[in-house]
Every structure is written in C-alpha cells, then in structure tokens.
Amino acid sequence: MRGPYLSTGGAPRPFRTLGFTQITGYGVTVAGVSDVGNAALDSTIRGALVDVALKMGGDGVIHITFEDENPPTDVERASDLSESITQVASGQGGVKSRSRNVIVTGEVIQFLPSP
C-alpha cells in the first residue's frame, strides 16, 4: 500500500479540498552541519503531513510550502562549525547549536472517484 500523495505542486487527478494544515517544526542545527529534531525537514515533516491527511480522511497534501523562520546562512554554518571544533579541541566547551523553526502549510485533498 502506498502512502498519501504529497506535493509542492498540484494533484495528478481531480480532487476535492478537505481543508488546510499548518505544522510548526522545532529543532536545532548542531555545529553548523547537522539539523536535529523537526528542523530536519525531510522525514519528520513528511510524517506529520501524512498523519494530518489520514486524520482528515484525505488522500494527500498538495501546494506544500516551507518557511524556515531563522535559516542559518552559509557564513553562520561555517562559523558555528569552526567555533565547535575550536571549543572541543581546547576542552573549553561543547558543540555550538542554533535553534530552528520551520512552518509547513498545505492543502489536504481527497481524490474523486474515476468516472
């Protein structure tokens, strides 16, 4: 059995809209390199969207958008990595982490029966 249809675009066939969803994921970027928690968008957010669609009796979520409220820049990632390496190597502290918040919205749909 395949899971619900998820897309940042439209649907591949006729549907009706059941409602809309908004999910906020929280997590951290560790040492400027790795996202942990819900900020690691891929599987966590995908799972949350599937859960919402199923609870609403839907077959999928379309027009999915992601808004990273505080994305680290490449310079911040490099700085955090450098600072983390220096602190750990000198025994003066741990790895630097930065909070992340990601808002995901989408339209929950139910496919119409084939004629």
Side-chain angles (χ1 to χ4, degrees):
M1 179 180 161
R2 291 180 13 184
Y5 180 79
L6 301 176
S7 174
T8 55
R13 56 186 225 243
F15 65 91
R16 71 181 180 109
T17 300
L18 298 178
F20 296 87
T21 184
Q22 182 176 44
I23 299 166
T24 302
Y26 302 97
V28 294
T29 298
V30 178
V33 186
S34 179
D35 292 327
V36 179
N38 293 342
L41 293 175
D42 197 29
S43 62
T44 304
I45 296 298
R46 208 175 331 162
L49 289 172
V50 166
D51 287 347
V52 168
L54 293 175
K55 285 178 184 172
M56 292 177 70
D59 297 313
V61 183
I62 60 172
H63 301 126
I64 299 169
T65 61
F66 299 89
E67 180 185 344
D68 193 335
E69 292 188 315
N70 51 349
T73 65
D74 290 342
V75 171
E76 289 172 325
R77 283 184 180 272
S79 174
D80 290 352
L81 176 58
S82 175
E83 187 177 326
S84 295
I85 290 171
T86 302
Q87 287 179 349
V88 170
S90 68
Q92 294 180 353
V95 213
K96 176 136 186 199
S97 63
R98 187 180 298 268
S99 295
R100 299 281 307 279
N101 301 326
V102 180
I103 298 174
V104 181
T105 58
E107 179 179 356
V108 180
I109 62 165
Q110 186 175 61
F111 290 119
L112 298 175
S114 299

